[in-house]
Coordinates of all heavy atoms in Angstrom, one line a residue:
L6 N -11.7 -66.6 20.3 CA -11.4 -68.0 20.3 C -12.6 -68.9 20.7 O -12.7 -70.0 20.2 CB -10.3 -68.2 21.4 CG -8.8 -67.9 20.9 CD1 -7.9 -67.9 22.2 CD2 -8.3 -69.0 20.0
L7 N -13.4 -68.4 21.6 CA -14.4 -69.3 22.2 C -15.3 -69.9 21.2 O -15.6 -71.1 21.3 CB -15.2 -68.5 23.3 CG -14.5 -68.5 24.7 CD1 -15.2 -67.4 25.5 CD2 -14.5 -69.8 25.4
P8 N -15.8 -69.2 20.2 CA -16.7 -69.9 19.2 C -16.0 -70.9 18.3 O -16.7 -71.7 17.7 CB -17.2 -68.7 18.4 CG -16.9 -67.5 19.2 CD -15.7 -67.8 19.9
A9 N -14.7 -70.8 18.3 CA -14.0 -71.7 17.3 C -13.4 -73.0 17.9 O -13.1 -73.9 17.2 CB -12.8 -70.9 16.7
V10 N -13.4 -73.1 19.3 CA -12.7 -74.2 19.9 C -13.6 -74.9 21.0 O -14.7 -74.4 21.3 CB -11.4 -73.8 20.5 CG1 -10.5 -73.2 19.5 CG2 -11.6 -72.8 21.7
A11 N -13.2 -76.0 21.5 CA -13.9 -76.7 22.5 C -13.9 -76.0 23.8 O -14.9 -76.0 24.5 CB -13.4 -78.1 22.7
R12 N -12.8 -75.4 24.1 CA -12.6 -74.8 25.4 C -11.4 -73.8 25.4 O -10.5 -74.1 24.7 CB -12.5 -75.8 26.5 CG -12.6 -75.3 28.0 CD -12.6 -76.4 29.0 NE -13.0 -75.9 30.3 CZ -14.3 -75.7 30.7 NH1 -15.3 -76.0 29.8 NH2 -14.6 -75.2 31.8
V13 N -11.5 -72.7 26.2 CA -10.4 -71.9 26.4 C -10.0 -71.9 27.9 O -10.9 -71.7 28.7 CB -10.7 -70.4 25.9 CG1 -9.5 -69.5 26.3 CG2 -10.9 -70.3 24.5
H14 N -8.7 -72.2 28.1 CA -8.2 -72.1 29.5 C -7.3 -70.9 29.6 O -6.2 -71.0 29.0 CB -7.5 -73.4 29.9 CG -7.4 -73.6 31.3 ND1 -7.5 -74.8 32.0 CD2 -7.0 -72.7 32.3 CE1 -7.3 -74.6 33.3 NE2 -7.0 -73.4 33.5
A15 N -7.7 -69.9 30.2 CA -6.9 -68.6 30.3 C -6.1 -68.6 31.6 O -6.6 -68.9 32.7 CB -7.8 -67.4 30.2
V16 N -4.8 -68.2 31.5 CA -4.0 -68.0 32.6 C -3.6 -66.6 32.7 O -3.0 -66.0 31.8 CB -2.7 -68.9 32.5 CG1 -1.7 -68.6 33.7 CG2 -3.0 -70.4 32.4
E17 N -4.0 -65.9 33.8 CA -3.8 -64.5 34.0 C -3.2 -64.2 35.4 O -3.7 -64.6 36.4 CB -5.2 -63.8 33.9 CG -5.1 -62.3 34.2 CD -4.2 -61.5 33.2 OE1 -4.4 -61.5 32.0 OE2 -3.2 -61.0 33.8
I18 N -2.1 -63.5 35.3 CA -1.3 -63.2 36.6 C -2.0 -62.0 37.4 O -1.9 -62.0 38.6 CB 0.1 -62.9 36.3 CG1 1.0 -62.8 37.6 CG2 0.3 -61.6 35.5 CD1 2.5 -62.7 37.3
D19 N -2.7 -61.1 36.7 CA -3.3 -60.0 37.3 C -4.6 -60.4 37.9 O -5.6 -60.7 37.2 CB -3.5 -58.9 36.3 CG -4.0 -57.6 36.9 OD1 -4.8 -57.6 37.8 OD2 -3.5 -56.5 36.4
P20 N -4.8 -60.4 39.2 CA -6.0 -60.9 39.8 C -7.3 -60.1 39.4 O -8.4 -60.6 39.4 CB -5.8 -60.8 41.3 CG -4.6 -59.8 41.5 CD -3.8 -59.9 40.3
V21 N -7.1 -58.8 39.2 CA -8.2 -57.9 38.8 C -8.7 -58.4 37.4 O -9.9 -58.6 37.2 CB -7.8 -56.5 38.8 CG1 -9.0 -55.6 38.2 CG2 -7.5 -56.0 40.2
L22 N -7.8 -58.6 36.5 CA -8.2 -59.0 35.1 C -8.7 -60.4 35.1 O -9.7 -60.7 34.4 CB -7.0 -58.9 34.2 CG -6.5 -57.5 33.9 CD1 -5.2 -57.5 33.0 CD2 -7.6 -56.7 33.2
A23 N -8.1 -61.3 36.0 CA -8.6 -62.7 36.0 C -10.0 -62.7 36.6 O -10.9 -63.5 36.1 CB -7.7 -63.5 37.0
G24 N -10.4 -61.8 37.5 CA -11.7 -61.8 38.0 C -12.7 -61.2 37.1 O -13.9 -61.5 37.1
L25 N -12.3 -60.3 36.2 CA -13.2 -59.6 35.3 C -13.6 -60.5 34.1 O -14.7 -60.4 33.6 CB -12.6 -58.3 34.7 CG -13.3 -57.6 33.7 CD1 -14.6 -57.0 34.2 CD2 -12.5 -56.5 33.0
L26 N -12.6 -61.3 33.6 CA -12.8 -62.0 32.4 C -14.1 -62.9 32.3 O -14.8 -62.8 31.3 CB -11.6 -62.9 32.1 CG -11.5 -63.6 30.7 CD1 -11.6 -62.6 29.6 CD2 -10.3 -64.5 30.6
P27 N -14.4 -63.7 33.3 CA -15.7 -64.5 33.2 C -16.9 -63.6 33.0 O -17.8 -64.0 32.2 CB -15.7 -65.2 34.5 CG -14.3 -65.3 35.0 CD -13.7 -64.0 34.5
S28 N -17.0 -62.5 33.7 CA -18.2 -61.6 33.5 C -18.2 -61.0 32.1 O -19.3 -60.8 31.5 CB -18.2 -60.5 34.6 OG -17.1 -59.7 34.6
T29 N -17.0 -60.6 31.6 CA -17.0 -60.0 30.2 C -17.5 -61.1 29.2 O -18.3 -60.8 28.3 CB -15.5 -59.6 29.9 OG1 -15.1 -58.6 30.8 CG2 -15.5 -59.1 28.5
V30 N -17.0 -62.3 29.4 CA -17.5 -63.4 28.5 C -18.9 -63.7 28.6 O -19.7 -63.9 27.7 CB -16.6 -64.6 28.7 CG1 -17.2 -65.8 27.9 CG2 -15.2 -64.4 28.2
A31 N -19.4 -63.7 29.9 CA -20.8 -64.0 30.1 C -21.7 -62.9 29.5 O -22.8 -63.2 29.0 CB -21.1 -64.0 31.6
E32 N -21.2 -61.7 29.5 CA -22.0 -60.6 28.9 C -22.0 -60.6 27.4 O -23.0 -60.4 26.7 CB -21.4 -59.2 29.4 CG -22.1 -58.0 28.8 CD -21.4 -56.7 29.2 OE1 -20.5 -56.7 30.0 OE2 -21.9 -55.7 28.6
R33 N -20.8 -60.9 26.8 CA -20.6 -60.7 25.4 C -20.7 -62.0 24.6 O -20.8 -62.0 23.3 CB -19.3 -60.0 25.1 CG -19.1 -58.7 25.9 CD -17.8 -57.9 25.5 NE -17.9 -57.3 24.3 CZ -18.4 -56.0 24.1 NH1 -18.8 -55.3 25.1 NH2 -18.4 -55.5 22.9
A34 N -20.6 -63.1 25.2 CA -20.6 -64.4 24.6 C -21.3 -65.4 25.5 O -20.7 -66.5 25.8 CB -19.2 -64.9 24.2
P35 N -22.5 -65.2 25.9 CA -23.2 -66.1 26.9 C -23.3 -67.5 26.5 O -23.2 -68.4 27.3 CB -24.6 -65.4 27.1 CG -24.8 -64.6 25.8 CD -23.4 -64.1 25.4
E36 N -23.4 -67.8 25.2 CA -23.5 -69.2 24.7 C -22.2 -69.9 24.9 O -22.2 -71.2 24.9 CB -24.0 -69.2 23.2 CG -25.4 -68.6 23.1 CD -25.9 -68.8 21.6 OE1 -25.1 -69.3 20.8 OE2 -27.0 -68.3 21.3
Q37 N -21.1 -69.2 24.9 CA -19.8 -69.9 25.1 C -19.2 -69.8 26.5 O -18.1 -70.3 26.8 CB -18.8 -69.4 24.1 CG -19.1 -69.8 22.7 CD -19.9 -68.7 21.9 OE1 -19.7 -67.6 22.1 NE2 -20.7 -69.2 21.0
A38 N -19.9 -69.1 27.4 CA -19.3 -68.7 28.7 C -19.0 -70.0 29.5 O -18.0 -70.0 30.3 CB -20.3 -67.9 29.5
G39 N -19.7 -71.1 29.3 CA -19.4 -72.3 30.0 C -18.2 -73.0 29.5 O -17.8 -74.0 30.2
R40 N -17.6 -72.5 28.5 CA -16.4 -73.2 27.9 C -15.1 -72.4 28.3 O -14.1 -72.7 27.7 CB -16.5 -73.3 26.4 CG -17.8 -74.0 25.9 CD -17.6 -74.8 24.6 NE -17.2 -73.9 23.5 CZ -18.0 -73.3 22.7 NH1 -19.3 -73.5 22.8 NH2 -17.6 -72.6 21.7
L41 N -15.2 -71.5 29.2 CA -14.1 -70.8 29.7 C -13.7 -71.2 31.1 O -14.5 -71.3 32.0 CB -14.4 -69.3 29.7 CG -13.3 -68.4 30.3 CD1 -12.1 -68.3 29.5 CD2 -13.9 -67.0 30.6
T42 N -12.4 -71.4 31.2 CA -11.8 -71.7 32.6 C -10.7 -70.6 32.8 O -9.9 -70.3 31.8 CB -11.1 -73.1 32.7 OG1 -12.2 -74.0 32.5 CG2 -10.5 -73.3 34.0
V43 N -10.6 -70.0 33.9 CA -9.6 -69.0 34.2 C -8.8 -69.5 35.4 O -9.3 -69.9 36.5 CB -10.2 -67.7 34.6 CG1 -9.1 -66.6 34.9 CG2 -11.1 -67.2 33.4
T44 N -7.5 -69.5 35.2 CA -6.5 -69.8 36.3 C -5.7 -68.5 36.6 O -5.1 -68.0 35.7 CB -5.6 -70.9 36.0 OG1 -6.3 -72.1 35.8 CG2 -4.5 -71.1 37.0
G45 N -5.8 -68.1 37.9 CA -5.0 -66.9 38.3 C -3.6 -67.4 38.7 O -3.5 -67.9 39.8

């Protein structure tokens, strides 16, 4: 989603997964990492 849209706002109930997502995106899509927001 991130390369196709202005921003992704992810809602994740699992705190472990919510904590991992920003680092996964930073590693695999660094140019779009600033367009991700995560709400646990």
Side-chain angles (χ1 to χ4, degrees):
L6 280 166
L7 278 166
V10 302
R12 191 169 192 83
V13 174
H14 197 140
V16 176
E17 175 58 64
I18 192 172
D19 187 322
V21 174
L22 293 176
L25 175 70
L26 186 60
S28 60
T29 299
V30 170
E32 176 186 356
R33 305 183 79 86
E36 294 183 5
Q37 288 95 37
R40 304 209 301 266
L41 172 70
T42 299
V43 180
T44 292

